[in-house]
């Protein structure tokens, strides 16, 4: 692996930077390292936060200082070793998910302005958004919020100049070459083009892996549904893995 | 055994030291704004330092004790009154059943903590009692406290008279004497510090900033000199932490606090060291702060020293409580 840099983001967290671009190759490396570290039993690593090109490790400095006068140096050394060990760790497990989206204007607040700005018909925008398979690069911002890409340049659009005070849960948006789904009601500045009836985040389920529907590494394809299908959507009997 | 909220405050919630291990799902740690105050309050009543606690800002909630308890108030001084009479902060107090606790006037600080001996009985979410108002989970149904809430606690004490214990925590090691907050808040340099122009790099260390009124548990906006980015560069979203100072597109800085998001895409200028997070958290809107840099080694040493002081305080309090058979 080349171009690795390590820097602190607090005195109890450091970031390993594996690149500076939005692409699957770098993100694969991040997740190979993430999965490698997850498998190691180290109760003093309090959090592992994978992002597009970086992996951040949050640690307990009191424990780390038992090994060295500098927790930062010691953790850096551990992680450099981990990077060497997991270089050929193979392919990431990835699931294929299909997610229904209703692109009606009552849900897709910014669909019209986006189609105008991009000189496309609304149908063309929907076609372009549903044509691609998107990779979940990372979760962040809100619990379960998937950062996905890469959106076709023809419909890639910068964030709104002023964010909305309330974006309803389920809203599907575009920001630059990224697409995402708001799991919860939240303020937000992404261009909203539709809404999924699917619950993306549920804090009340018993199995942790089910709290967030989407996981990094997942491959997501959207498909268009009608307003009637949106309203009669049966969450209980829907499996996004087989749809 | 319980406390009843008889009047809601502005943004009061149940918090502990945070929910770690789930940031890869976008679930942020939350937790108290001022960990030192929380630990001091817990130490004074003989609790484990990390026991969950009620955190209040001003105007704070009014509370009624439905059973006798040993309590301690720490952090900000909102002039607590028990049944109309002043009680001190940083000192344990025995309260009787039916007692009412009110906070009447803001003296100093932004966040006040109420510990109860034996700890509160709460329903954990993902291993923590911290309230996540974003996920609407944890603490009291994932929301701020409201009128009528009953917060249970586990320790039963015999009916007693109201009493203030004679020992008090010396907090001068953790905070400057109010209202003087002249010491700079110490930071380590952020990875994108050199994205600032040379002038703005100097300004960051030279000038005072003012905590904006648009500040909350998510972040403190810092008003002052406009920080300029030397060139238009985009940062791909990456992890941030409690204390990270980000540069916003309008030239303003924002210090991320306990309810910060897990990742962000704005340049990270600096990270407030953990040992100084409590001082930063206790800054109220319109208060002035300045920043200085230390290296990572010093930041580690300062944090360890602070943790050591807190555990010494805990030991001393345990001894005192044993003397009083509590």
């Amino acid at each position: 692996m080349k171009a690795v840099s390590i820097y602190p983001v607090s005195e109890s967290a450091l970031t390993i930077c594996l690149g500076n671009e939005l692409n699957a190759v770098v993100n694969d490396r991040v997740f190979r390292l993430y999965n490698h570290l997850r498998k190691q039993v180290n109760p003093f690593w309090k959090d592992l936060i994978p992002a597009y090109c970086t992996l951040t490790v949050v640690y307990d400095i009191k424990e780390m200082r038992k090994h060295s006068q500098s927790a930062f140096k010691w953790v850096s050394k551990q992680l450099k070793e981990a990077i060497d060990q997991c270089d050929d760790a193979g392919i990431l497990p990835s699931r294929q998910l299909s997610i229904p989206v209703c692109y009606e204007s009552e849900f897709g607040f910014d669909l019209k302005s986006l189609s105008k700005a991009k000189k496309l018909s609304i149908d063309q925008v929907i076609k372009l958004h549903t044509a691609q398979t998107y990779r979940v690069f990372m979760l962040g911002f809100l619990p379960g919020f998937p950062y996905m890409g890469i959106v076709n340049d023809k419909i890639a659009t910068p964030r709104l100049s002023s964010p909305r005070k309330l974006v309803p849960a389920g809203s599907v948006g575009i920001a630059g070459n990224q697409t995402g789904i708001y799991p919860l009601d939240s303020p937000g500045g992404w261009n909203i083009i539709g809404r999924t009836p699917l619950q993306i985040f549920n804090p009340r389920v018993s199995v942790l892996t089910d709290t967030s529907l989407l996981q990094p590494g997942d491959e997501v394809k959207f498909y268009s549904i009608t307003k009637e299908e949106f309203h009669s959507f049966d969450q209980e009997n829907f499996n996004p893995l087989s749809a | 055994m319980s406390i009843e909220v008889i009047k809601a405050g502005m943004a009061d919630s149940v918090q502990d030291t945070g929910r770690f291990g789930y940031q890869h799902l976008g679930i942020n740690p939350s937790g108290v704004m001022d960990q030192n105050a929380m630990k001091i309050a817990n130490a004074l009543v003989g609790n484990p330092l990390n026991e969950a606690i009620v955190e209040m800002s001003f105007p704070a909630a009014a509370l009624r004790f439905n059973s006798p308890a040993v309590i301690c108030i720490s952090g900000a001084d909102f002039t607590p009154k028990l049944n109309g009479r002043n009680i001190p902060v940083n000192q344990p107090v025995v309260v009787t059943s039916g007692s009412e606790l009110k906070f009447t006037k803001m003296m100093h600080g932004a966040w006040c903590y109420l510990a109860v001996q034996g700890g509160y009985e709460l329903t954990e979410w993902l291993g923590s009692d911290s309230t996540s108002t974003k996920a609407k989970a944890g603490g009291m149904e994932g929301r701020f406290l409201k009128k009528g809430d009953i917060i249970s606690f586990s320790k039963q004490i015999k009916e007693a008279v109201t009493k203030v214990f004679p020992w008090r925590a010396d907090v001068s090691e953790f905070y400057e004497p109010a209202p003087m907050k002249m010491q700079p808040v110490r930071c380590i340099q952020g990875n994108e510090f050199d994205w600032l122009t040379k002038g703005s790099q100097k300004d960051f260390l030279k000038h005072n900033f003012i905590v904006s009124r648009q500040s909350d548990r998510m972040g403190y906006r810092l008003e002052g000199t406009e920080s300029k980015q030397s060139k238009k560069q985009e940062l791909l979203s990456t992890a941030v932490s409690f204390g990270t100072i980000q540069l916003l597109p309008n030239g303003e800085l924002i210090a991320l606090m306990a309810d910060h998001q897990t990742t962000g895409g704005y340049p990270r200028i600096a990270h407030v060291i953990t040992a100084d997070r409590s001082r930063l958290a206790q800054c109220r809107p319109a208060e002035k702060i300045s920043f200085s840099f230390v290296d990572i080694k010093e930041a580690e040493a300062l944090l360890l020293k602070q943790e050591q002081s807190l555990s010494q305080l805990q030991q001393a309090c345990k001894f005192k409580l044993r003397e009083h058979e509590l």
Side-chain angles (χ1 to χ4, degrees), chain B:
Chain B
M1 288 83 69
S2 64
I3 299 174
E4 188 176 340
V5 179
I6 52 179
K7 196 191 112 223
M10 279 284 284
D12 304 341
S13 64
V14 178
Q15 299 289 344
D16 60 14
T17 44
R19 179 176 291 109
F20 286 90
Y22 305 98
Q23 291 197 71
H24 62 287
L25 298 176
I27 299 172
N28 78 320
S30 300
V32 288
M33 291 288 276
D34 178 349
Q35 275 204 21
N36 289 340
M38 165 206 189
K39 289 177 177 174
I40 289 165
N42 275 325
L44 281 159
V45 296
N47 286 349
L49 298 181
N50 293 343
E51 187 73 47
I53 200 161
V54 173
E55 176 183 273
M56 293 172 278
S57 62
F58 198 84
L63 306 164
R64 184 194 298 124
F65 290 84
N66 292 329
S67 25
V70 181
I71 65 162
C72 181
I73 298 160
S74 186
D77 186 351
F78 297 158
T79 325
K81 282 188 197 272
L82 191 71
N83 300 323
R85 297 177 71 167
N86 284 346
I87 54 167
V89 293
N90 298 319
Q91 215 165 326
V93 178
V94 179
V95 301
T96 54
S97 185
S99 290
E100 289 187 5
L101 177 63
K102 286 177 183 157
F103 297 89
T104 54
K105 196 177 160 208
M106 187 159 57
M107 296 304 286
H108 62 80
W111 302 95
C112 158
Y113 294 86
L114 174 67
V116 165
Q117 190 174 59
Y120 298 101
E121 281 183 337
L122 300 155
T123 312
E124 274 192 357
W125 179 54
L126 303 179
S128 160
D129 288 324
S130 280
T131 305
S132 168
T133 50
K134 266 186 215 154
K136 298 189 176 70
M140 288 292 278
E141 300 166 1
R143 55 165 173 75
F144 291 129
L145 298 180
K146 63 174 194 204
K147 190 181 167 184
D149 276 345
I150 307 273
I151 317 163
S152 301
F153 55 87
S154 51
K155 174 140 180 183
Q156 188 157 17
I157 67 161
K158 274 184 239 142
E159 188 71 47
V161 287
T162 303
K163 178 162 87 173
V164 178
F165 285 108
W167 65 90
R168 178 191 187 109
D170 175 10
V171 299
S172 60
E173 188 187 335
F174 306 103
Y175 310 93
E176 285 100 345
M180 302 292 286
K181 285 209 176 74
M182 294 310 286
Q183 294 300 317
V185 169
R186 292 164 290 188
C187 303
I188 54 171
Q189 222 175 70
N191 197 51
E192 290 80 47
F193 182 68
D194 58 7
W195 288 25
L196 288 174
T197 60
K198 285 273 177 277
S200 289
Q201 289 182 21
K202 279 194 191 126
D203 287 347
F204 177 69
L205 297 168
K206 208 168 71 187
H207 289 284
N208 282 324
F209 290 86
I210 288 168
V211 177
S212 150
R213 297 202 179 275
Q214 284 178 50
S215 296
D216 55 21
R217 279 185 45 88
M218 266 186 86
Y220 284 5
R221 279 169 182 268
L222 305 169
E223 291 167 354
T225 159
E226 187 191 338
S227 301
K228 292 193 186 86
Q229 200 173 319
S230 55
K231 53 183 171 182
K232 270 268 161 264
Q233 276 189 82
E234 292 281 319
L235 178 70
L236 282 172
S237 281
T238 179
V240 292
S241 72
F242 187 170
T244 296
I245 298 177
Q246 287 184 313
L247 171 63
L248 302 183
N250 67 0
E252 222 171 59
L253 300 178
I254 185 166
L256 301 180
M257 303 305 281
D259 274 344
H260 67 85
Q261 55 197 62
T262 56
T263 56
Y266 296 130
R268 297 154 301 171
I269 303 312
H271 308 278
V272 173
I273 65 168
T274 307
D276 278 5
R277 270 185 209 163
S278 290
R279 289 204 296 132
L280 172 66
Q282 291 295 3
C283 282
R284 286 208 319 261
E287 282 185 352
K288 272 187 204 158
I289 50 172
S290 63
F291 298 100
S292 67
F293 280 134
V294 295
D295 65 16
I296 179 93
K297 211 173 158 191
E298 195 176 346
E300 288 181 12
L302 287 164
L303 177 59
L304 290 169
K305 189 170 161 279
Q306 211 171 59
E307 291 198 351
Q308 201 181 358
S309 299
L310 287 164
S311 82
Q312 275 164 2
L313 174 69
Q314 185 185 30
Q315 290 311 316
C317 290
K318 269 191 183 155
F319 185 71
K320 290 272 186 202
L321 288 164
R322 221 173 289 142
E323 271 183 350
H324 283 73
E325 289 171 9
L326 269 167

Side-chain angles (χ1 to χ4, degrees), chain A residues 132-173:
Chain A
Q132 220 120 325
T133 299
Y134 300 107
R135 173 194 176 99
V136 178
F137 280 93
M138 59 184 277
L139 301 178
F141 173 48
L142 285 172
F145 186 102
Y147 284 82
M148 298 180 279
I150 299 169
V151 167
N152 192 313
D153 278 336
K154 286 179 192 152
I155 54 169
T157 317
R159 284 177 176 79
L160 306 177
S161 53
S162 157
R164 275 194 180 83
K165 287 218 171 76
L166 181 76
V167 177
S171 293
V172 176

